[in-house]
Amino acid sequence: MRNTELKRKKKRNRDHTEVRRMLSERFAEQRENVFFETVMEAREELVEDAELYDSWLIHANHNEMPDIDVIRSYFKDAEGMVEIICRDINVIVYPLPADTMEEIHERIDDFLSYMKKNGMNVFIVHSFNMMWMEQFCSMYRSIVSSLQDLRTIFPTRDFYSYQHVCFVTSIRELYESGKFYDECKYLLGNLEHRYPLGEPIKVLSVYFLDEGMDLAGTARRLYLHRNTAKYRLHKISSLIGIDVLDATKSQFLIMALAMGRLWEVGVNASR
């Protein structure tokens, strides 16, 4: 008799838990829909004459909410009518009309300079031409889930494109699945073993991940003469049989370097 009563209580508890879970999910879904509907209430006249328009997610480097009043003040003076929405510890600005990507990058640089003058250390993830709410929802979720990996794989950048988000999402999937683990470890380990004094992993990581294959920027970051940096890259190319100055031939190498940064963080965290 007692066992039967215990079973009934367990069943009631399971039922109540399931109901609470369903209600919680529905509430979260409704709240998120309200949020995204608010985001998408951008006025058509803001973008109708523009070739492009951008949406920015602004995130503080130390996971703190940026000063929304400072951000509003900047956009009121610089851009006029834009949508500025807070979500958790992120600030979303949308839409920003522009004629070229160069113009978008100039605006980002100007905004980041303004934030630094006000003592705020933030970075931006931007994505242009998000036409429909479904696209914006998907973009927002993927960006938020990738923020930590963006800072791990590309720690020196002040802003990221949605292509960066897609890249780190793919790297995270490979990292967690264990695919190419042995191949990547072998490639990176072989480089360090055969050319230890040249610090090949550091040189390649700066070249590909930090400087976007900018040779002059790589030399500056490594405190080397440009010709010295170029010589080291050619030396690495001869060791591994891949022309590292050719991005199309270096895709697996770039992937290995990115996963190497995730491994490094994982090792440090476990210690």
Side-chain angles (χ1 to χ4, degrees), residues 37 110 118 132 142 160 174 203 208 216 228 237-238 248 251 261 264 267-268:
E37 285 167 8
D110 184 71
N118 283 273
W132 311 110
S142 58
Y160 305 94
L174 290 172
V203 173
F208 285 118
T228 303
S237 296
S238 66
T248 59
Q251 292 301 309
R261 285 189 166 176
E264 184 178 351
V267 170
N268 292 337

Side-chain angles (χ1 to χ4, degrees), residues 8-218:
R8 287 176 181 171
K9 285 185 177 181
K10 287 181 179 179
K11 184 179 185 304
R12 283 199 301 271
N13 289 339
R14 284 198 302 270
D15 292 343
H16 291 162
T17 301
E18 182 66 16
V19 168
R20 286 196 298 269
R21 183 188 65 78
M22 290 174 62
L23 289 174
S24 176
E25 287 180 355
R26 287 179 183 177
F27 175 74
E29 184 179 342
Q30 289 173 356
R31 185 172 57 185
E32 189 166 273
N33 285 341
V34 170
F35 162 69
F36 285 121
E37 285 167 8
T38 305
V39 171
M40 299 306 292
E41 285 175 355
R43 295 158 180 83
E44 292 183 3
E45 62 267 20
L46 289 173
V47 296
E48 62 182 2
D49 295 327
E51 292 294 326
L52 304 169
Y53 62 94
D54 219 24
S55 59
W56 296 1
L57 184 144
I58 302 168
H59 187 85
N61 272 316
H62 302 295
N63 289 329
E64 300 171 352
M65 172 64 78
D67 191 326
I68 189 65
D69 290 332
V70 173
I71 294 175
R72 287 186 189 280
S73 175
Y74 172 86
F75 283 104
K76 182 178 179 181
D77 294 338
E79 301 290 349
M81 295 173 64
V82 294
E83 299 286 345
I84 301 177
I85 293 122
C86 301
R87 173 74 168 178
D88 299 325
I89 58 173
N90 301 303
V91 178
I92 296 171
V93 181
Y94 173 94
L96 293 165
D99 292 326
T100 64
M101 284 304 301
E102 288 75 16
E103 184 180 344
I104 289 173
H105 290 168
E106 287 174 4
R107 290 184 179 191
I108 291 174
D109 289 338
D110 184 71
F111 172 75
L112 291 173
S113 296
Y114 173 84
M115 294 297 281
K116 287 178 181 177
K117 287 178 184 177
N118 283 273
M120 278 176 263
N121 189 12
V122 302
F123 63 91
I124 289 173
V125 186
H126 75 102
S127 185
F128 57 91
N129 285 11
M130 291 289 103
M131 294 295 293
W132 311 110
M133 186 165 69
E134 290 79 5
Q135 287 178 297
F136 197 94
C137 292
S138 175
M139 179 201 72
Y140 175 80
R141 293 190 192 99
S142 58
I143 288 175
V144 169
S145 65
S146 301
L147 287 172
Q148 183 175 345
D149 286 344
L150 282 169
R151 298 311 279 168
T152 299
I153 295 175
F154 303 106
T156 62
R157 292 189 63 90
D158 291 323
F159 67 91
Y160 305 94
S161 69
Y162 192 56
Q163 284 71 28
H164 286 102
V165 174
C166 294
F167 176 76
V168 301
T169 300
S170 299
I171 295 300
R172 169 57 64 178
E173 290 175 356
L174 290 172
Y175 177 82
E176 292 182 347
S177 71
K179 291 180 179 178
F180 306 117
Y181 175 90
D182 292 335
E183 293 88 342
C184 290
K185 280 290 189 181
Y186 175 79
L187 177 59
L188 299 181
N190 189 44
L191 264 175
E192 292 288 17
H193 175 72
R194 296 180 65 186
Y195 192 34
L197 298 180
E199 297 184 279
I201 303 304
K202 181 179 180 180
V203 173
L204 289 172
S205 294
V206 169
Y207 179 64
F208 285 118
L209 303 179
D210 297 328
E211 293 299 328
M213 298 187 69
D214 180 355
L215 187 57
T218 301

